[in-house]
Amino acid sequence: MTTQGRIWLAVALASLGWGTSGVMTRVALGEDIEPFAIAAGRSVVAAAGIAIWLLIRRRSVDADRTTLLVGIVMATTNMAAPLVLGNLALQYAGAGFVGVLASLIPLFTAVIAHFALPDEPMRLVKVAGLVVALSGVVVLFLSGDSGLGEGGRPLLAGGLALCGYLAIAVGSVYAKKHAGAYRPLDVSVIQFVVGGVLAVTAMLLVEGVPDLPAAGGLGSLLYLGTVTTVLPFLVYYWLLQHVTVTYSAIIGYLVPLVAVIVGVVALDERLQPGIVIGGALILAGVIVTDRVEMRTRVQAAVRP
C-alpha cells in the first residue's frame, strides 16, 4: 500500500473508531450495563491496550512532575468526565444527536483559550463561527428531536453532553498552556491509566460492584476500549507524524457524520429535521472557523 493509501486508511479508522463510540455505548446500555460501569470497563480495557502497545514497542514513559500533572488533568477532563457524562446523555438521545454536539469542542476550546492563552485571541471569524454553531444548538434543542422514537429527552441529553465537551476543552487548553514541557505520548499514557482509576472509583461509589455482563455486553466493552479508544489514539498519533494538522482536521468533520449514519443504520435511530438542520449549522460554524484559522496560521508562519 502506498503512503497516501495508508494515510487515508488511518483517517478512515480514526473516524470510524470515534464515530461509532456513541453507537456502541448505546449497545452496551441495551445490554443492561450501567453508564458508570461502561465508562470503567472501557477505560480499563483502554489502559490495558496501551500498556500492551508500549511493551510491544518497548517504549518507556517519562513521568516527571509536569507530565504527571498534565496527565492527571487530562485524565479527569478528557477521559473520566466526558465518558461518564456522554454515557448518561446516551440514555436520553441517539448517538447521532450526541455526536453532532461533539463538533462544538474546537469552538469551546477557542473561547476558553481566548481568556487563558494570550497568543490565541478571539478573532471576528471565530465569533461569527461560534454564533452560527450556537444557532445550530438552539435549533437542535428547540426542535425536540433526539433521534429516538420514544423516551428521548434532548435538553437533558444535550446538557450532559455539552458539560462533557466543555471539560474536554478546558483540559485541552491546560495542556496547550504547558506545551513543550512534556512529551504528548507520555501524557497520553498517564491519561489512560489515571482515567481508568478515576472511572472505576466513580463506578464503585455510584453503582457499586457490577454484575458480570453477558457476552454481548463484554463484546461492546472490548470494542469501546480498543476500537473507539486505543486504536484512534494510535492511528491519530501516527497520522500527525505524516500529515499536517490541517489535513488531519478532516477527522473532526467525519466523526459526527459517521455517528449519524451508523446510528440510523445499526440502531434504527431517526434522522429527524432538527438533527439535520441543527447539525448542519454546527458543522458550518466549526468548519468555517477552522479553515480560516488554519489559513491565518499558515500566513503567519511564512510571513518574514
Side-chain angles (χ1 to χ4, degrees), residues 32-298:
D32 295 325
I33 306 178
E34 297 294 329
F36 282 82
I38 295 174
R42 176 178 179 174
S43 301
V44 169
V45 171
I50 199 65
I52 293 172
W53 182 80
L54 286 173
L55 289 174
I56 293 175
R57 297 296 300 271
R58 297 182 179 179
R59 300 289 296 269
S60 60
V61 177
D62 181 15
D64 57 54
R65 184 177 180 276
T66 300
T67 302
L68 187 60
L69 183 59
V70 174
I72 292 174
V73 171
M74 296 294 284
T76 305
T77 60
N78 281 40
M79 192 162 184
L83 283 184
V84 170
L85 290 169
N87 293 348
L88 292 172
L90 286 164
Q91 296 180 111
Y92 308 106
F97 178 98
V98 175
V100 164
L101 288 176
S103 304
L104 289 167
I105 294 174
L107 287 179
F108 284 169
T109 304
V111 173
I112 297 172
H114 171 74
F115 297 99
L117 303 175
D119 58 340
E120 295 198 22
M122 281 288 289
R123 297 184 176 87
L124 182 60
V125 67
K126 288 185 179 181
V127 176
L130 181 63
V131 171
V132 173
L134 290 181
S135 69
V137 175
V138 173
V139 170
L140 194 60
F141 284 4
L142 293 182
S143 69
D145 296 335
S146 65
L148 302 180
E150 296 179 358
R153 299 176 64 181
L155 285 177
L156 177 58
L160 290 167
L162 289 178
C163 286
Y165 300 147
L166 185 60
I168 292 175
V170 170
S172 299
V173 172
Y174 181 85
K176 180 64 179 298
K177 190 172 184 177
H178 294 83
Y182 59 84
R183 293 191 305 178
L185 179 61
D186 295 338
V187 167
S188 299
V189 172
I190 295 171
Q191 173 184 336
F192 275 97
V193 175
V194 176
V197 173
L198 292 175
V200 170
T201 302
M203 176 196 70
L204 294 175
L205 291 174
V206 177
E207 298 171 352
V209 179
D211 296 328
L212 183 66
L218 286 175
S220 63
L221 292 178
L222 288 173
Y223 184 95
L224 286 167
T226 54
V227 179
T228 74
T229 308
V230 174
L231 178 62
F233 157 74
L234 294 178
V235 167
Y236 191 67
Y237 182 72
W238 177 87
L239 195 61
L240 288 179
Q241 295 176 325
H242 294 80
V243 300
T244 63
V245 176
T246 304
Y247 189 101
S248 64
I250 190 175
I251 295 174
Y253 310 149
L254 293 175
V255 166
L257 298 179
V258 172
V260 171
I261 293 172
V262 177
V264 170
V265 173
L267 298 179
D268 292 326
E269 294 181 0
R270 298 184 179 182
L271 191 59
Q272 297 167 311
I275 295 177
V276 174
I277 298 173
L281 288 170
I282 291 172
L283 280 174
V286 172
I287 291 174
V288 170
T289 304
D290 183 62
R291 294 294 94 183
V292 174
E293 180 65 16
M294 287 296 183
R295 186 169 58 195
T296 302
R297 292 182 181 181
V298 171

